[in-house]
Amino acid sequence: MTEKYRPQIHMTPDSGWMNDPNGLVFFNGEYHQFYQYYPNDTVWGPMHWGHKVSRDLVHWRELEPALYPDESGMCFSGSAIVDWNNTSGLFESGQPGLLAFYTSFLQPNQKLMDGSTFENPIQQQSLAYSANGIDWHKYRDGAPIIPARGNPDFRDPKVFWHEASKAYVMVVSCGQHIEFFRSTNLLDWQLISEFGYRHGAHSKGPWECPDLFELSLSGTEKSYWVLVVGIGEGAHCGGAGTQYFIGDFDGETFTNLNHPEKVLWLDFGRDYYATQSFSDIPAEDGRRIVSTWMSNHQYSLELPTESFRSSMTMPRELFLFESAEGLRVGQRFTKELASALSTDASDLTPENEQAISLYSQYSVMHLGCDIELDEEQVLHLGLYQDNAAFFEFQPVEGGLEVRTVRRGEFGTERIDEHFPHDYRVVLPTHSSFSLEVLFDKGSIELLINNGEYSFTNLLYPNNTQASAVMSVDSGTLRARNLITKSRAGEA
Ligand code: FRU
């Protein structure tokens, strides 16, 4: 598929509109990734669940949509699990199958299934099932398994098995908090607790797309529970962003380990929203792999692609680490990425002691190096030939200041007003750090210290051939172990 800004290794819909990743699940040797999908246009519309499968998290094959909107509503975001023991009773006895939990969204001009009408929008949790992962059926024609509860924003169910309490748990966002439900048969659910009032970041809109899972602290026996929550507007540098809480979950209640006002962002870029993790990855693998919608509701409808809109980030593996300011969640690219890239096809030219230029003949380039900065020295990383964006790194009191600047005019008011940014954050890390940048058409993903901190940004340079210039404002540029890998393909 060729198109100026069609990513080469990031997942995109073949055509049409995509937003959140949904129902991420590993089943019969394949990763299934569903997503919010509108096939008939490149803007948001009546939501389907699009469907792709992959064996390596890099090459995705598109299948027929799994769920279609109908009189039970549009199919909003949600999650999937393998029902290994046919607990739901929806499969042939002894056979496992997939269950998808999603939000049915009814608009006021629609009729309810009993023929009645209603005044306010209704969001309720529904269930779909599939024995082979490909052909899907709505349970009771999409009728809710958890009916509307009064709040018009009640959506995005994430379901998982909680071993210690021997029950399934569903995490749902409701207004600006999270509700936890419990079930032992996957069909009947009881509300057990709530979390979120006065915790973390809030804005005008509802919390969205929650996820909850356990992560072990690298190098120790300890583990913690991580609750991931999207806020659609008012995030660190404008528009949507993904925050997380670290704490404990006993099967009933989530307890935040940090002060309620502490806000933790999973990524410091503009285009990182609705993060979800894969369910049922085999225990011997044990990774917590996530996928994230690489866009921002502030301008997502007007981005300069033609036959499709939106892509997902490269799948990433989460890990927990101890930073100078306490526990944090980091994310590294999965090891499968390496198999999609081949050895250096680019030209590394030291210009002088202060600068290095890197040019690839392709649009996909993965660049890595170790940097050591002197006190006050500023490292400038300019991206693409027209310097469409740049990063600056400088040691400051309290850590490393990272400035990220993105320019861009695309001739539509909404995107021209919101797309550019100039954002600074101080990270609790040192003047020696490692850098990794993944270039693909339309995006840049930058990781610091093997993923302790990440910055994910869309970018639409005039010339999509990957290139960068690294330079320091004074002294010498100390960049070691510089490697670049590319992927032969379009520039
Ligand atoms: C987040 C979101 C979800 C909702 C879906 C609808 O991007 O607003 O809360 O389920 O998109 O497409």
Side-chain angles (χ1 to χ4, degrees):
M1 266 174 277
T2 56
E3 187 179 316
K4 183 164 184 197
Y5 294 124
R6 168 76 74 174
Q8 304 292 288
I9 58 169
H10 285 77
M11 193 188 110
T12 53
D14 291 354
S15 63
W17 164 269
M18 173 175 87
N19 55 294
D20 317 350
N22 296 153
L24 307 183
V25 64
F26 185 80
F27 184 52
N28 287 342
E30 286 187 314
Y31 295 93
H32 289 254
Q33 179 153 203
F34 304 89
Y35 43 93
Q36 290 290 279
Y37 180 48
Y38 183 49
N40 303 340
D41 203 343
T42 52
V43 291
W44 193 92
M47 281 290 114
H48 301 53
W49 271 34
H51 190 184
K52 297 228 182 203
V53 287
S54 172
R55 290 190 178 273
D56 62 5
L57 295 163
V58 179
H59 302 91
W60 295 92
R61 185 163 55 91
E62 189 159 320
L63 304 175
E64 287 300 307
L67 302 176
Y68 291 77
D70 58 23
E71 62 279 9
S72 68
M74 298 186 202
C75 306
F76 269 22
S77 287
S79 58
I81 58 163
V82 182
D83 181 7
W84 291 105
N85 303 314
N86 192 19
T87 304
S88 64
L90 294 171
F91 306 106
E92 308 239 322
S93 63
Q95 295 301 312
L98 288 185
L99 298 178
F101 299 85
Y102 65 98
T103 300
S104 339
F105 174 78
L106 288 136
Q107 286 173 313
N109 56 3
Q110 269 177 280
K111 262 199 176 130
L112 286 180
M113 289 168 78
D114 64 6
S116 60
T117 52
F118 52 99
E119 279 175 19
N120 297 312
I122 293 181
Q123 299 188 350
Q124 34 200 12
Q125 314 322 318
S126 297
L127 173 65
Y129 59 98
S130 169
N132 60 7
I134 294 170
D135 305 305
W136 286 85
H137 312 279
K138 288 184 175 173
Y139 173 62
R140 295 198 287 133
D141 296 324
I145 53 168
I146 304 183
R149 290 173 35 75
N151 195 314
D153 295 303
F154 175 49
R155 59 180 182 259
D156 309 340
K158 170 74 186 192
V159 171
F160 65 94
W161 169 250
H162 187 257
E163 179 61 31
S165 63
K166 298 268 179 267
Y168 289 94
V169 172
M170 184 192 287
V171 190
V172 189
S173 57
C174 182
Q176 292 195 18
H177 69 279
I178 300 297
E179 295 192 337
F180 300 83
F181 293 80
R182 180 178 193 274
S183 172
T184 47
N185 66 3
L186 288 160
L187 303 174
D188 303 303
W189 295 86
Q190 283 84 42
L191 179 68
I192 46 173
S193 69
E194 296 175 355
F195 169 82
Y197 299 104
R198 290 193 288 276
H199 283 259
H202 293 263
S203 61
K204 276 187 283 168
W207 279 9
E208 297 181 315
C209 303
D211 198 351
L212 178 63
F213 43 80
E214 201 173 3
L215 273 188
S216 55
L217 176 60
S218 313
T220 73
E221 304 272 283
K222 284 197 208 143
S223 64
Y224 295 83
W225 285 81
V226 176
L227 176 65
V228 175
V229 177
I231 67 166
E233 53 185 308
H236 46 91
C237 49
T242 301
Q243 63 177 325
Y244 65 96
F245 302 90
I246 300 180
D248 188 31
F249 181 69
D250 60 4
E252 207 169 305
T253 311
F254 179 81
T255 315
N256 187 2
L257 194 91
N258 287 299
H259 189 276
E261 281 174 14
K262 181 80 194 162
V263 178
L264 302 175
W265 298 108
L266 202 48
D267 186 280
F268 294 93
R270 292 293 297 288
D271 300 294
Y272 192 90
Y273 197 60
T275 304
Q276 287 286 297
S277 68
F278 277 90
S279 182
D280 294 282
I281 291 187
E284 59 273 23
D285 179 325
R287 290 178 295 172
R288 178 61 54 179
I289 298 174
V290 294
S291 177
T292 300
W293 181 47
M294 197 157 50
S295 195
N296 192 318
H297 285 301
Q298 273 190 326
Y299 43 69
S300 56
L301 298 167
E302 295 174 38
L303 293 168
T305 56
E306 287 159 26
S307 60
F308 72 100
R309 272 221 182 86
S310 298
S311 57
M312 299 300 181
T313 58
M314 277 323 281
R316 301 184 194 167
E317 179 187 349
L318 298 186
F319 60 94
L320 202 57
F321 68 100
E322 190 80 62
S323 79
E325 288 180 354
L327 291 174
R328 294 289 180 272
V329 175
Q331 37 184 322
R332 55 176 80 94
F333 295 125
T334 59
K335 61 181 188 306
E336 288 84 350
L337 172 64
S339 61
L341 303 171
S342 42
T343 348
D344 180 22
S346 51
D347 177 19
L348 309 181
T349 327
E351 306 238 310
N352 51 49
E353 293 217 310
Q354 293 197 324
I356 301 179
S357 308
L358 305 119
Y359 296 102
S360 170
Q361 58 189 119
Y362 306 116
S363 57
V364 174
M365 181 166 82
H366 186 208
L367 140 75
C369 67
D370 296 329
I371 299 285
E372 209 179 322
L373 293 179
D374 298 332
E375 225 177 292
E376 314 254 301
Q377 198 181 23
V378 182
L379 170 71
H380 182 98
L381 174 68
L383 304 168
Y384 292 104
Q385 278 162 29
D386 49 1
N387 219 8
F390 65 86
F391 284 87
E392 275 176 359
F393 307 85
Q394 181 176 28
V396 293
E397 207 182 312
L400 179 73
E401 183 179 89
V402 182
R403 177 178 176 207
T404 125
V405 175
R406 175 174 71 181
R407 309 191 177 99
E409 280 179 22
F410 299 97
T412 75
E413 244 171 65
R414 196 164 129 134
I415 185 168
D416 290 350
E417 180 188 346
H418 294 295
F419 193 78
H421 68 255
D422 184 343
Y423 168 71
R424 289 168 199 262
V425 58
V426 175
L427 304 175
T429 191
H430 306 290
S431 50
S432 300
F433 57 97
S434 73
L435 260 188
E436 225 180 308
V437 187
L438 182 65
F439 295 76
D440 192 1
K441 288 187 180 190
S443 72
I444 286 289
E445 290 166 273
L446 181 137
L447 306 187
I448 294 177
N449 290 344
N450 301 316
E452 287 185 349
Y453 305 99
S454 69
F455 294 75
T456 303
N457 284 315
L458 296 176
L459 205 53
Y460 299 100
N462 290 324
N463 180 345
T464 54
Q465 213 174 334
S467 72
V469 177
M470 255 195 280
S471 60
V472 282
D473 65 334
S474 60
T476 50
L477 169 58
R478 282 180 290 162
R480 303 212 175 83
N481 304 324
L482 186 64
I483 49 158
T484 59
K485 293 189 167 194
S486 295
R487 179 157 190 265
E490 294 165 36

